[in-house]
């Protein structure tokens, strides 16, 4: 089985855009379509055959307005608790799935500067169910991040608040394969009104 067949994309797209006046990030316009569609396309073009999308804020509206056909959609009722709850919801859904996924490649909906080439590089770092890899930008760890399936339970258990997997990654820093992507991607977030100028 190839790497791409074993790695499932996991897109965290539940954020409510608190610093954006409560505009859900998944629905921000980008190239004429909701931002979540761009993030799904990037994961697919980077080699993820299956993509799980965790929704939260305005989940019904996202389902109605965005073309997420072919994706597995997960509703996170606890999205207001922060990114950790979305990561838990996604990993738990993958664990229960019949998919033969041996790893999850986690990306964030609000990072449109990260494209398919960065996804492909991190995906290629998958070796086994114990794999742990992350994109790096001038040596600094960022997204996307790849978690082998053997690590999912421990990552989910430590994912709290807005920290996501940060606690787990810090504890296992020496085991992370860093994949330099600074030459092909920019890891900025769309967090504030000023950031909206980066969307096209």
């Amino acid at each position: 089985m190839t790497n791409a067949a074993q790695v499932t994309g996991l897109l965290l797209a539940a954020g409510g855009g608190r610093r954006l006046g409560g505009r859900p990030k998944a629905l921000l316009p980008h190239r004429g379509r909701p931002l979540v569609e761009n993030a799904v396309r990037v994961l697919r073009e980077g080699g993820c055959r299956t993509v799980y999308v965790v929704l939260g804020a305005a989940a019904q509206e996202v389902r109605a307005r965005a073309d997420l056909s072919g994706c597995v959609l997960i509703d996170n009722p606890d999205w207001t608790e922060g990114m950790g709850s979305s990561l838990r919801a996604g990993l738990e859904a993958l664990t229960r799935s019949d998919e033969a996924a041996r790893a999850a490649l986690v990306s964030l909906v609000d990072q449109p500067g990260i494209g398919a080439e960065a996804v492909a590089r991190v995906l290629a770092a998958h070796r086994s169910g114990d794999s742990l890899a992350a994109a790096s930008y001038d040596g600094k760890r960022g997204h996307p991040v790849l978690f082998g399936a053997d690590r999912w339970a421990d990552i989910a258990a430590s994912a709290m608040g807005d920290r996501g997997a940060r606690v787990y990654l810090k504890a296992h820093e020496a085991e992370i394969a860093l994949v330099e992507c600074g030459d092909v991607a920019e890891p900025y977030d769309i967090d504030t009104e000023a950031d909206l100028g980066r969307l096209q």
Side-chain angles (χ1 to χ4, degrees), residues 25-103:
K25 291 185 177 184
L27 289 173
L28 293 174
H30 182 54
R31 298 175 180 164
R33 297 297 303 161
L35 188 57
V36 66
E37 287 184 19
N38 173 75
V40 168
R41 178 182 52 78
V42 164
L43 285 169
R44 285 185 173 143
E45 290 180 358
C48 295
R49 193 174 61 185
T50 306
V51 177
Y52 280 51
V53 182
V54 182
L55 301 176
Q60 281 187 302
E61 191 180 352
V62 175
R63 286 171 182 266
R65 287 178 49 193
D67 179 5
L68 299 175
S69 51
C71 295
V72 178
L73 304 183
I74 301 145
D75 285 314
N76 173 18
D78 303 320
W79 65 269
T80 55
E81 293 177 11
M83 192 196 308
S85 67
S86 290
L87 181 58
R88 283 198 312 274
L91 292 176
E92 285 163 8
L94 273 169
T95 301
R96 293 191 306 266
S97 164
D98 294 332
E99 298 277 336
R102 294 297 298 140

Side-chain angles (χ1 to χ4, degrees), residues 47-169:
C48 295
R49 193 174 61 185
T50 306
V51 177
Y52 280 51
V53 182
V54 182
L55 301 176
Q60 281 187 302
E61 191 180 352
V62 175
R63 286 171 182 266
R65 287 178 49 193
D67 179 5
L68 299 175
S69 51
C71 295
V72 178
L73 304 183
I74 301 145
D75 285 314
N76 173 18
D78 303 320
W79 65 269
T80 55
E81 293 177 11
M83 192 196 308
S85 67
S86 290
L87 181 58
R88 283 198 312 274
L91 292 176
E92 285 163 8
L94 273 169
T95 301
R96 293 191 306 266
S97 164
D98 294 332
E99 298 277 336
R102 294 297 298 140
L105 190 130
V106 180
S107 69
L108 308 180
V109 74
D110 67 341
Q111 293 191 321
I114 297 176
E117 194 161 348
V119 168
R121 286 187 187 181
V122 177
L123 189 152
H126 174 242
R127 297 287 178 272
S128 69
D130 195 44
S131 287
L132 187 61
S136 67
Y137 301 90
D138 297 324
K140 185 178 178 187
R141 191 184 76 240
H143 284 86
V145 183
L146 184 139
F147 300 130
D150 295 350
R151 297 180 181 268
W152 293 351
D154 288 344
I155 291 167
S158 70
M160 300 291 168
D162 268 327
R163 292 171 300 180
R166 246 176 284 174
V167 171
Y168 183 89
L169 290 170

Side-chain angles (χ1 to χ4, degrees), residues 15-26 28 35 110 189-197 199:
R18 188 176 61 248
R19 285 180 283 173
L20 288 165
R23 278 178 283 176
K25 291 185 177 184
L28 293 174
L35 188 57
D110 67 341
D189 300 325
I190 305 297
D191 278 336
T192 66
E193 293 283 345
D195 297 329
L196 292 175
L199 297 174

